[in-house]
Amino acid sequence: MKNIKFTAVNCSLVVAVVVILVVSAFYVRVGATADQVVVLRTSGMTCSSCVSKITKVLQSQRGVAATEIDLAGGLVLAGYDSKQVAPDSLARTVAAAGFKSEVAQVLTPQQFKSIVGRDLGGQAAGGCCGPRGCGSAQ
Protein backbone atom coordinates (compact mmCIF):
# COMPACT_ATOMS: atom_id res chain seq x y z
CA MET A 1 0.00 0.00 0.00
CA LYS A 2 2.90 2.34 0.74
CA ASN A 3 4.26 1.96 -2.82
CA ILE A 4 0.89 2.86 -4.34
CA LYS A 5 0.70 6.04 -2.24
CA PHE A 6 4.26 6.94 -3.16
CA THR A 7 3.54 6.45 -6.88
CA ALA A 8 0.35 8.50 -6.68
CA VAL A 9 2.23 11.34 -4.96
CA ASN A 10 4.98 11.21 -7.62
CA CYS A 11 2.42 11.29 -10.43
CA SER A 12 0.66 14.22 -8.78
CA LEU A 13 3.94 16.11 -8.47
CA VAL A 14 4.81 15.46 -12.12
CA VAL A 15 1.38 16.69 -13.24
CA ALA A 16 1.73 19.80 -11.06
CA VAL A 17 5.16 20.58 -12.53
CA VAL A 18 3.88 20.15 -16.09
CA VAL A 19 0.94 22.47 -15.40
CA ILE A 20 3.28 25.09 -13.92
CA LEU A 21 5.57 24.86 -16.95
CA VAL A 22 2.67 25.22 -19.39
CA VAL A 23 1.29 28.23 -17.51
CA SER A 24 4.78 29.76 -17.37
CA ALA A 25 5.26 29.24 -21.11
CA PHE A 26 1.93 30.98 -21.78
CA TYR A 27 2.92 33.86 -19.51
CA VAL A 28 6.25 34.28 -21.32
CA ARG A 29 4.41 34.21 -24.68
CA VAL A 30 2.00 36.93 -23.55
CA GLY A 31 4.89 39.06 -22.29
CA ALA A 32 6.91 38.70 -25.51
CA THR A 33 8.21 41.92 -27.01
CA ALA A 34 8.97 42.81 -30.60
CA ASP A 35 11.96 44.82 -31.78
CA GLN A 36 11.16 44.26 -35.49
CA VAL A 37 8.09 44.04 -37.71
CA VAL A 38 8.27 41.91 -40.84
CA VAL A 39 5.92 42.54 -43.75
CA LEU A 40 5.36 39.36 -45.75
CA ARG A 41 3.82 39.52 -49.23
CA THR A 42 1.59 36.44 -49.13
CA SER A 43 -0.71 34.88 -51.72
CA GLY A 44 -3.36 32.21 -51.41
CA MET A 45 -5.21 33.84 -48.50
CA THR A 46 -8.90 33.98 -49.31
CA CYS A 47 -10.87 34.06 -46.05
CA SER A 48 -10.93 34.38 -42.26
CA SER A 49 -10.02 30.69 -41.99
CA CYS A 50 -6.78 31.46 -43.84
CA VAL A 51 -6.18 34.36 -41.47
CA SER A 52 -6.70 32.06 -38.47
CA LYS A 53 -4.39 29.40 -39.88
CA ILE A 54 -1.56 31.85 -40.55
CA THR A 55 -2.02 33.59 -37.21
CA LYS A 56 -1.87 30.25 -35.41
CA VAL A 57 1.32 29.05 -37.12
CA LEU A 58 3.10 32.38 -36.62
CA GLN A 59 2.05 32.73 -32.99
CA SER A 60 3.41 29.23 -32.34
CA GLN A 61 6.89 30.45 -33.31
CA ARG A 62 9.23 31.42 -30.51
CA GLY A 63 9.80 35.17 -30.49
CA VAL A 64 6.62 36.23 -32.30
CA ALA A 65 4.78 38.78 -30.18
CA ALA A 66 1.97 39.95 -32.50
CA THR A 67 0.51 39.18 -35.89
CA GLU A 68 -1.80 41.04 -38.19
CA ILE A 69 -3.13 40.09 -41.60
CA ASP A 70 -4.33 42.33 -44.42
CA LEU A 71 -6.36 39.81 -46.39
CA ALA A 72 -7.30 42.16 -49.25
CA GLY A 73 -3.75 43.48 -49.60
CA GLY A 74 -2.10 40.08 -49.36
CA LEU A 75 0.10 41.13 -46.44
CA VAL A 76 1.06 39.32 -43.27
CA LEU A 77 2.70 41.38 -40.54
CA ALA A 78 4.47 39.93 -37.54
CA GLY A 79 6.10 41.70 -34.65
CA TYR A 80 9.01 39.58 -33.47
CA ASP A 81 12.14 39.48 -31.34
CA SER A 82 15.06 39.48 -33.79
CA LYS A 83 17.23 37.64 -31.26
CA GLN A 84 14.87 34.64 -31.36
CA VAL A 85 13.67 34.36 -34.96
CA ALA A 86 14.60 35.65 -38.43
CA PRO A 87 12.15 37.17 -40.94
CA ASP A 88 13.01 34.56 -43.60
CA SER A 89 12.11 31.85 -41.10
CA LEU A 90 8.70 33.44 -40.58
CA ALA A 91 8.12 33.53 -44.35
CA ARG A 92 9.03 29.83 -44.54
CA THR A 93 6.60 29.10 -41.69
CA VAL A 94 3.76 30.76 -43.61
CA ALA A 95 4.78 28.91 -46.79
CA ALA A 96 4.78 25.60 -44.92
CA ALA A 97 1.16 26.34 -43.94
CA GLY A 98 0.24 26.38 -47.64
CA PHE A 99 0.65 30.01 -48.68
CA LYS A 100 3.28 31.51 -50.95
CA SER A 101 5.10 34.07 -48.81
CA GLU A 102 8.21 36.24 -49.08
CA VAL A 103 9.75 39.03 -47.02
CA ALA A 104 8.74 42.39 -48.48
CA GLN A 105 10.09 44.68 -45.76
CA VAL A 106 11.45 44.73 -42.21
CA LEU A 107 10.64 47.72 -40.00
CA THR A 108 11.11 48.77 -36.42
CA PRO A 109 7.89 49.11 -34.39
CA GLN A 110 8.44 52.88 -34.43
CA GLN A 111 8.68 52.93 -38.24
CA PHE A 112 5.53 50.83 -38.48
CA LYS A 113 3.67 53.21 -36.17
CA SER A 114 4.83 56.28 -38.11
CA ILE A 115 3.61 54.72 -41.38
CA VAL A 116 0.20 53.42 -40.27
CA GLY A 117 -0.44 55.59 -37.22
CA ARG A 118 -0.91 52.77 -34.70
CA ASP A 119 0.86 49.89 -33.01
CA LEU A 120 0.87 46.41 -34.53
CA GLY A 121 -1.75 44.02 -33.23
CA GLY A 122 -4.80 42.01 -34.16
CA GLN A 123 -6.26 43.91 -37.11
CA ALA A 124 -7.34 41.05 -39.37
CA ALA A 125 -9.82 41.14 -42.22
CA GLY A 126 -12.18 38.32 -43.15
CA GLY A 127 -13.57 37.01 -46.39
CA CYS A 128 -14.84 33.90 -48.14
CA CYS A 129 -12.76 30.94 -49.28
CA GLY A 130 -14.84 30.13 -52.31
CA PRO A 131 -14.47 26.81 -54.16
CA ARG A 132 -10.65 26.63 -54.05
CA GLY A 133 -10.26 26.71 -50.27
CA CYS A 134 -7.51 28.18 -48.11
CA GLY A 135 -3.91 28.19 -49.24
CA SER A 136 -4.65 26.75 -52.69
CA ALA A 137 -3.14 29.54 -54.82
CA GLN A 138 0.53 28.78 -54.29
Side-chain angles (χ1 to χ4, degrees), residues 39-45 54 69-71 73-77 91 94-95 98-104 137:
V39 179
L40 303 173
R41 182 145 324 271
T42 305
S43 61
M45 302 182 299
I54 293 170
I69 307 205
D70 176 0
L71 189 61
L75 299 175
V76 173
L77 301 110
V94 173
F99 305 89
K100 185 176 179 186
S101 189
E102 62 184 29
V103 175

Side-chain angles (χ1 to χ4, degrees), residues 33-37 79-83 107-110:
T33 59
D35 64 348
Q36 297 287 300
V37 176
Y80 67 97
D81 181 342
S82 63
K83 293 179 182 120
L107 307 164
T108 66
Q110 296 79 15

Side-chain angles (χ1 to χ4, degrees), residues 7-120:
T7 304
V9 169
N10 284 343
C11 288
S12 297
L13 287 174
V14 168
V15 169
V17 168
V18 168
V19 168
I20 290 170
L21 290 174
V22 168
V23 170
S24 296
F26 178 73
Y27 180 77
V28 169
R29 161 72 85 217
V30 170
T33 59
D35 64 348
Q36 297 287 300
V37 176
V38 66
V39 179
L40 303 173
R41 182 145 324 271
T42 305
S43 61
M45 302 182 299
T46 57
C47 66
S48 60
S49 180
C50 298
V51 170
S52 295
K53 184 176 184 180
I54 293 170
T55 299
K56 185 176 179 178
V57 298
L58 284 175
Q59 297 259 332
S60 72
Q61 297 296 298
R62 183 179 177 105
V64 174
T67 58
E68 186 173 312
I69 307 205
D70 176 0
L71 189 61
L75 299 175
V76 173
L77 301 110
Y80 67 97
D81 181 342
S82 63
K83 293 179 182 120
Q84 295 186 28
V85 67
D88 290 331
S89 174
L90 297 175
R92 286 190 302 272
T93 297
V94 173
F99 305 89
K100 185 176 179 186
S101 189
E102 62 184 29
V103 175
Q105 193 170 13
V106 177
L107 307 164
T108 66
Q110 296 79 15
Q111 290 170 321
F112 178 82
K113 188 171 185 172
S114 72
I115 293 168
V116 298
R118 60 178 173 73
D119 292 322
L120 178 69

